[in-house]
Amino acid sequence: MKRSCGFRFCFLSTILFLCVNTVHAKTPAEELAQKVVGDDTLGFVATSGTDHIGQAFRESTLGMLWNDQQLQQFVESLESAIVQNVQMEIGEGQEGVNEFKDFAGSALSCPTVLVVSGDPVRTAFVIDASRNKVELEKAYKALLAVDPNAVTDKITFEGYELNSSIDEMMHGYHGFVDDYFVAAFDDKQGKTVKRLLRSQTSHLDRFGELQANGDALAIYVDFPRIMKKVESLAEKENNPGDVEDVKIVLNKLGFLNTGVIAERLGFAGKDLACDTLIEIQGQPTGLWTTLKPVDYSILQVIDDRVMNVTLLNCDFGKAVDIVVDAVKAVAPAHDFAEMKQQYTAWEEKIGVSVRKDIIDAMAGPMAFYAVPSGAVMDAPRGAFAAVIKMSNEQKMDNLISKVAQIAKTLQSQEIQFSVVEKGGRTYYYLSSTALSFMGILPSWTVDGDYLILASSAALCEQTANELSRGKTAGNSIVTSERYKAAVPNQLPKDAVFFRYVDSQAQLRHTIMSAQQFWPMMTMGLSQQGIKLPVMLPNFASVIDKVQGSYTYAQFTDNGFESEYRGTGLEPAVAGAIGGISAAVAIPAVHQTRIIAREVAAGSQLRQIGHAAYSYATENNDQFPPNLEVLIQKGYLDVLPESPRKPDSFSGPSYIYVSGRSVASEPDEVLAFENPDFLAEGDEINVLFIDSHVERMPISEFRKIAAEDDNIK
């Protein structure tokens, strides 16, 4: 018996131990974050690294799409084209690009954290290279070899000698501390290194309560600490008033009692899983109190062909009152009264009170959804609609009548308003040439206590008919197999936000839309020298395997929490579009900066010209002998420095031509940018006697200078 009891005790203890350690198992991202955060940490972004999450990613739907051969070929072509164009526009060679890619690839394979701390504000980038140190060290040394200026000195913290990069703008150091690579900025005391070497780790409030799923990405923001830091900086600058106004507004809106904001994203089976928490310290106030549980029953009347649908329930009247009260609390009384007067005059002009006629008529529950291309006949590019529950049908009827009157007053050759009676219902349409070109026909009607708005007449009529029938079966979205496969059977009853995306339909629609504009875009960019792949990849082989996704949000004891489960295509596609746009825009941004510097230099020359003319007015129409006289006599505070001048250039920014007077020929040169710091193909700013500044090629300016004996 004793042996049996002892065995049972050991067995149960082992099971309990395993359960406890499983529940509290930490990801590499969380472990690394806990080593580098402290009591002054404002926030961090971390990842467990591709070595840790790689297998889970490959088994996910997103990984399956990413590893598609056609997509990989497209990405390689796109990367090659963009890198080549950026180098050509910016004027930099291939050196450094491959080294940076190698270092970034090695770094991202490891657990990595980017942490921002205060007192003073500093940033640190830390990589746990314990499993990949040899490869990372090699990539780091290769990167340093490309840029000799990356190391200006050596610095030692806790016995570790690190490379230091110091200039007027920033103090930084980087190197290895045992198995960790560290790159820190404005950390003059080496706090990052000291925290890495300490024996204990820090606790992350609320962070561990979210599901990790590997932590492909983890975000943590300590809002109270950020607010304290902002207050501290404002006090140092003797400007606490602005911060107080911000605090008043945040308090009115209900956001001042925000605690930690945390998000953890990873992979769970084929799904991308993302859990988010906005901690609310105390009871929700302000705008939080305007959110109510959504009405899932609206899903029963929404067609199963939708590619996404969003449910919301908000007390908009209360929300408006809260926002107005917040503005009133910080706006000067006179300004607020003037704004209110202008707003009232506008309402009187259109004959509609936004608050009484629109907002007060809304009950709160509403649904927004979109259908893909081909779902309705009159919307070949897809359409969207809104179903809004109204609290007062009489008010709604009055509003519709007033809006109809306003629409009639807008009628012109470009805008047409029409009313159609159909099936015992009144439909209103507002058409214009511009909207028709985009395939949009604003349409609205009322069915019982619902207002229906749509971008398509057919979708508006279809939605109204389904509402009227009160469809509970057939082809509603809740009976869709993809919906049932993606969404849990039991959704939280108190969810204040819900969104479902049919990722398969969304992806098909996105690809179809992209295929329409991509050739035109590539043709336009080609004329600018940007050679992108002509054809988009075809996902036909994998698209049928794509399931749906859902998001819901609710209030819990911790605050406001949301859960996302799905393919991850929505954020991935948005990120891809943003990434391509940013990459394509890099040369344009670079060129814009160049032009901005040229314009600024021209403006500085005009200042010199104005000062020279002021001097001449008081000195018999003679310009000063040199620029220094303008400072000595108080016509200029300092000699301006051209924004185009490199830091390494020690000569003057502008060259002044002496011996001139107001009577000199208008096309003679008075001052010009120093050509010694400009490249031969650049343009140079030149100030003429008649006070105009002209930007011209350096070669053209040299011809002018060669014919002018005063220019040396």
Side-chain angles (χ1 to χ4, degrees), residues 306-508:
V306 303
M307 55 184 177
N308 61 68
V309 57
T310 301
L311 301 183
L312 187 65
N313 187 358
C314 179
D315 185 342
F316 282 99
K318 185 176 182 181
V320 169
D321 290 342
I322 291 171
V323 172
V324 171
D325 187 43
V327 174
K328 185 179 180 180
V330 296
H334 174 75
D335 292 346
F336 183 81
E338 185 177 345
M339 286 189 294
K340 186 176 180 180
Q341 183 179 4
Q342 293 176 353
Y343 181 74
T344 302
W346 174 76
E347 286 188 323
E348 291 176 351
K349 182 179 179 180
I350 65 173
V352 175
S353 169
V354 175
R355 177 57 191 270
K356 294 179 180 178
D357 294 333
I358 301 178
I359 296 176
D360 287 350
M362 299 168 63
M366 58 192 68
F368 307 91
Y369 65 95
V371 295
S373 306
V376 288
M377 293 185 61
D378 64 343
R381 300 179 184 176
F384 52 90
V387 178
I388 305 172
K389 191 170 185 178
M390 312 308 294
S391 62
N392 190 311
E393 188 174 346
Q394 182 61 45
K395 284 186 176 182
M396 196 66 252
D397 289 339
N398 293 337
L399 174 62
I400 291 292
S401 299
K402 290 182 178 181
V403 172
Q405 292 174 4
I406 295 172
K408 288 179 181 178
T409 64
L410 296 175
Q411 285 200 116
S412 64
Q413 292 182 346
E414 295 294 323
I415 301 175
Q416 295 294 319
F417 174 71
S418 57
V419 182
V420 176
E421 297 290 338
K422 191 174 183 179
R425 220 178 271 114
T426 304
Y427 292 91
Y428 303 86
Y429 309 110
L430 191 66
S431 61
S432 74
T433 304
L435 291 177
S436 297
F437 180 76
M438 295 185 289
I440 297 175
L441 176 64
S443 313
W444 64 94
T445 189
V446 174
D447 185 87
D449 54 357
Y450 285 98
L451 170 66
I452 302 160
L453 308 172
S455 65
S456 150
L459 185 58
C460 185
E461 183 178 348
Q462 175 184 302
T463 304
N465 290 335
E466 290 170 351
L467 273 170
S468 183
R469 289 195 300 266
K471 179 172 58 177
T472 57
N475 60 341
S476 69
I477 187 175
V478 293
T479 63
S480 164
E481 291 301 322
R482 288 201 292 272
Y483 176 89
K484 290 190 289 186
V487 181
N489 292 330
Q490 295 294 326
L491 289 168
K493 294 181 180 179
D494 55 355
V496 297
F497 174 87
F498 173 77
R499 178 174 172 82
Y500 164 72
V501 177
D502 184 337
S503 301
Q504 187 178 123
Q506 184 97 48
L507 183 58
R508 289 186 192 277

Side-chain angles (χ1 to χ4, degrees), residues 11-30:
F11 177 77
L12 291 174
S13 298
T14 302
I15 294 297
L16 180 62
F17 174 81
L18 291 174
C19 289
V20 169
N21 280 274
T22 299
V23 170
H24 293 284
K26 297 176 182 177
T27 66
E30 184 176 3

Side-chain angles (χ1 to χ4, degrees), residues 575-586:
I577 293 173
I580 293 173
S581 301
V584 169
I586 286 175

